[in-house]
Amino acid sequence: MTTPHWQKSTYSESGSSCVYVATPAAGTILLRESDDPETILTTGPLQLSLLISTLRTSHGIH
């Protein structure tokens, strides 16, 4: 198994609490939080897009 290349998400604010994103295979997105890097969420582009859209709407961000 190859090690994913993690990048800090552009949605993360400055500071120690950051979300990191990796795309090890087409159609797969991995997410982890800097405070708990061993816990990894696996999702897809559509699901992540819907999550971000929902969070933006619920926080009044356009």
Side-chain angles (χ1 to χ4, degrees):
M1 184 165 133
T2 61
T3 303
H5 174 72
W6 293 100
Q7 294 179 291
K8 183 178 173 182
S9 170
T10 57
Y11 290 97
S12 291
E13 296 180 10
S14 300
S16 63
S17 187
C18 301
V19 173
Y20 287 85
V21 180
T23 54
T28 303
I29 298 172
L30 303 177
L31 303 167
R32 72 178 185 186
E33 205 270 321
S34 59
D35 290 340
D36 190 10
E38 299 302 316
T39 300
I40 298 171
L41 173 68
T42 303
T43 190
L46 177 61
Q47 294 84 356
L48 182 58
S49 176
L50 291 171
L51 173 64
I52 292 169
S53 184
T54 300
L55 293 173
R56 282 182 164 182
T57 301
S58 68
H59 287 86
I61 301 169
H62 299 286

